[in-house]
Amino acid sequence: MVRLALQTSDWIRVDPWESEQAQWTETVKVLRHHHSELLRYLPQEEGRGQGRAVSPAPAAVPELKLLCGADILKTFQTPNLWKDEHIQEIVEKFGLVCVGRAGHDLKGYISDSPILQRCQHNILLVREPVQNDISSTYIRRALGHGQSVKYLLPDTVIAYIKDHNLYSTGSSCKGNSAQNSEGEAS
Amino acid sequence: MENPQKTEVVLLACGSFNPVTNMHLRLFELARDHMNATGKYRVIKGIISPVGDAYKKKGLISAHHRVIMAQLATQTSSWVEVDTWESLQKEWVETAKVLRHHQEKLEARGCEQQDSPVLERPGRKRKWAEQRSELNQKKTLEPQRKDVPEVKLLCGADLLESFGVPNLWKREDIANIVGDYGLVCVTRAGNDAQRFIYESDVLWRHQANIHLVNEWITNDISSTKIRRALRRSQSIRYLVPDLVQEYIEKHNLYSAESEERNVGVILAPLQRNTAATNSRTTTA
């Protein structure tokens, strides 16, 4: 579905590495993976002389930053969800680009966390000039009710969901069998 | 065969559509789902009717482009289309007149279909004549056939509340719109809309004809914000259909200059209604 959604984008692409791992992969490991991929596929500026190691100037390496919504920043506070050293590495070594969302106080989350406060310079807060509260939860609920989600998702994704009968009421969902498909899980 | 009890509805949206956005398109989807779910209505068509240039709103670019963008935006819709009648009028047309125009069009088409059944073979001419006299008798007996779809004005809460702006609407037009046609109003702030209806005698009287549709997710995609983003070279991707975004880019439609159009010019309805008020007081 993501691939379909990005068909018309000339700069955003989908990467399946994380989804293909057998075990759940901590976010910091995903960042490390993509960072090393970036380094591997840098354009070679120096001559490719035999035996000569090519070390690009630091400026040539793009910085990899975690893009997320305000709700993710809030989850840093949830006990046992993130390892502290991971949060530190994510924010210190990589950096965060965090897009605001209604009902979330980004500045508050930062001031509430010593780690985040320390690395504030590496956290870019993006104010959403046009508020648009489309969430996947809402989409799934609307689909479960048989309501239209046109213009909230790309048409290609809607067609795919219909063709594969995803997200209809009573469709199976992974996880706690006690949860029904219209449960609280976001 | 459809349930004969259901009233067929056509949703008509009037406005600048300067430019059309995903929010406008969402209004149609939300309204249709809501009306169909009542069990009393079946929405058969949606119409986008961009306002003519004579409206003289600040920043309003030519109807030509606005119509094309609306057409591009509805290309993938199976039921929403664009109508150019209003945009082609030389003078600004009151919304009530646009509603009447479309209702009359539907009634004319309804009569056409009843009056001229297809002639299959020459030999069937006599049977056709018999059918026709039957239908004519039926017509005089039932002046308010449920067969003709009802046109209703689709809007957001801002239009509902604009009823309160002095001289923007004629009082008789408001009564006409909610009394004879009906309003389908999509809003996030249902309570505010209900209070507005409660505080207005004419809206209160016709509240059965005002359908409030809940928009649970905030969708602030206004045309004003789109134009502002464009002036600031910010991306409008995913806020308008891709085809609309490409069209705007290709023709460089919105700029600081285009936003200055009609500056200092009085909005057509204000001009017309203020002049009418003035002429009434001077002749009194």
Side-chain angles (χ1 to χ4, degrees):
Chain A
M1 287 189 282
V2 179
R3 189 167 290 133
L4 287 172
L6 293 175
Q7 256 170 6
T8 59
S9 177
D10 61 358
W11 69 286
I12 310 172
R13 51 174 276 273
V14 118
D15 191 281
W17 179 82
E18 181 180 358
S19 65
E20 287 165 356
Q21 303 309 304
Q23 300 296 326
W24 168 70
T25 313
E26 284 103 329
T27 303
V28 74
K29 295 199 176 112
V30 181
L31 282 162
R32 289 180 199 151
H33 164 80
H34 286 289
H35 186 69
S36 65
E37 290 288 289
L38 272 177
L39 289 175
R40 209 162 15 126
Y41 293 107
L42 275 176
Q44 308 287 313
E45 290 182 85
E46 309 293 329
R48 279 188 217 185
Q50 281 167 359
R52 208 184 321 163
V54 179
S55 48
V61 182
E63 289 178 18
L64 184 70
K65 296 188 179 303
L66 182 66
L67 171 66
C68 62
D71 53 325
I72 302 297
L73 208 62
K74 185 175 184 188
T75 68
F76 283 172
Q77 298 167 1
T78 307
N80 294 326
L81 194 57
W82 300 82
K83 292 203 184 88
D84 278 348
E85 55 265 33
H86 285 182
I87 299 180
Q88 184 139 350
E89 185 179 335
I90 290 171
V91 183
E92 222 171 72
K93 181 174 175 206
F94 296 103
L96 226 55
V97 178
C98 189
V99 181
R101 214 171 162 178
H104 291 274
D105 173 23
L106 281 181
K107 293 217 170 93
Y109 299 156
I110 295 180
S111 54
D112 282 346
S113 154
I115 309 174
L116 295 182
Q117 247 199 322
R118 215 175 21 249
C119 309
Q120 259 183 90
H121 55 280
N122 234 7
I123 303 176
L124 190 65
L125 298 182
V126 182
R127 238 194 347 198
E128 210 185 354
V130 175
Q131 216 182 325
N132 203 344
D133 275 350
I134 304 173
S135 73
S136 299
T137 307
Y138 177 88
I139 299 292
R140 292 195 304 272
R141 191 176 296 130
L143 289 168
H145 291 163
Q147 291 169 327
S148 164
V149 293
K150 198 164 160 79
Y151 313 114
L152 299 176
L153 301 180
D155 284 343
T156 47
V157 178
I158 297 176
Y160 185 90
I161 290 174
K162 267 206 180 74
D163 288 345
H164 294 82
N165 199 26
L166 308 174
Y167 306 126
S168 52
T169 35
S171 63
S172 60
C173 59
K174 289 196 154 80
N176 188 351
S177 57
Q179 282 176 348
N180 58 24
S181 56
E182 290 184 284
E184 291 302 312
S186 63
Chain B
M1 175 78 171
E2 267 293 322
N3 180 352
Q5 310 287 66
K6 286 192 192 173
T7 305
E8 290 189 331
V9 167
V10 170
L11 296 171
L12 173 73
C14 297
S16 308
F17 299 101
N18 185 36
V20 65
T21 70
N22 283 340
M23 187 259 320
H24 294 126
L25 300 164
R26 272 310 287 166
L27 292 191
F28 281 95
E29 299 292 309
L30 288 164
R32 179 169 76 154
D33 281 346
H34 174 94
M35 298 298 278
N36 286 352
T38 63
K40 290 189 283 189
Y41 302 101
R42 189 168 77 91
V43 177
I44 58 166
K45 197 196 309 200
I47 300 176
I48 292 181
S49 175
V51 78
D53 292 333
Y55 188 51
K56 298 288 180 197
K57 190 169 181 183
K58 179 175 177 290
L60 190 70
I61 68 166
S62 96
H64 168 76
H65 287 307
R66 291 184 287 115
V67 162
I68 291 180
M69 287 190 284
Q71 287 167 338
L72 290 171
T74 50
Q75 240 177 36
T76 65
S77 178
S78 60
W79 66 287
V80 183
E81 61 189 47
V82 179
D83 190 276
T84 54
W85 178 81
E86 184 184 356
S87 67
L88 292 171
Q89 304 307 305
K90 264 213 227 56
E91 299 296 321
W92 170 69
V93 184
E94 283 97 339
T95 301
K97 291 204 175 77
V98 183
L99 281 160
R100 191 192 323 152
H101 165 82
H102 285 282
Q103 185 66 61
E104 285 173 357
K105 231 173 111 175
L106 284 168
E107 276 161 17
R109 198 178 307 149
C111 291
E112 258 173 58
Q113 284 171 349
Q114 300 226 341
D115 285 353
S116 46
V118 175
L119 278 174
E120 287 169 69
R121 277 189 287 277
R124 295 177 70 77
K125 211 171 180 176
R126 199 185 314 178
K127 195 166 184 200
W128 174 66
E130 283 170 4
Q131 274 184 343
R132 194 197 172 127
S133 64
E134 239 178 75
L135 286 167
N136 281 335
Q137 285 175 355
K138 248 189 168 177
K139 260 207 296 191
T140 49
L141 286 173
E142 304 164 349
Q144 288 285 341
R145 288 196 318 281
K146 278 221 158 163
D147 310 322
V148 180
E150 293 179 7
V151 179
K152 298 190 183 301
L153 186 64
L154 171 66
C155 64
D158 53 339
L159 189 142
L160 184 71
E161 291 180 16
S162 80
F163 282 163
V165 175
N167 285 327
L168 191 57
W169 300 83
K170 284 203 207 88
R171 290 184 63 131
E172 54 265 34
D173 278 3
I174 299 177
N176 185 210
I177 290 171
V178 293
D180 298 331
Y181 301 103
L183 221 60
V184 182
C185 178
V186 181
T187 170
R188 226 180 315 140
N191 287 337
D192 290 350
Q194 280 179 327
R195 179 180 310 133
F196 191 78
I197 294 171
Y198 169 76
E199 288 174 356
S200 154
D201 287 344
V202 63
L203 296 183
W204 179 257
R205 192 161 51 243
H206 299 288
Q207 59 182 290
N209 243 357
I210 302 176
H211 307 266
L212 294 182
V213 182
N214 266 315
E215 185 189 8
W216 295 113
I217 55 174
T218 313
N219 202 338
D220 262 351
I221 307 175
S222 70
S223 300
T224 307
K225 290 189 182 170
I226 298 296
R227 297 197 305 273
R228 185 179 296 133
L230 287 165
R231 290 197 302 277
R232 297 174 185 183
S233 302
Q234 290 171 332
S235 168
I236 60 168
R237 245 9 245 290
Y238 314 117
L239 301 178
V240 302
D242 282 349
L243 289 175
V244 174
Q245 185 260 323
E246 283 156 22
Y247 185 86
I248 292 175
E249 203 170 303
K250 180 170 166 194
H251 297 269
N252 198 23
L253 292 180
Y254 294 108
S255 60
E257 288 74 42
S258 71
E259 200 63 17
E260 290 300 293
R261 285 171 76 129
N262 295 320
V263 156
V265 180
I266 302 176
L267 201 68
L270 293 175
Q271 185 157 57
R272 191 174 297 174
N273 296 331
T274 317
T277 316
N278 287 342
S279 67
R280 278 202 292 275
T281 51
T282 49
T283 52

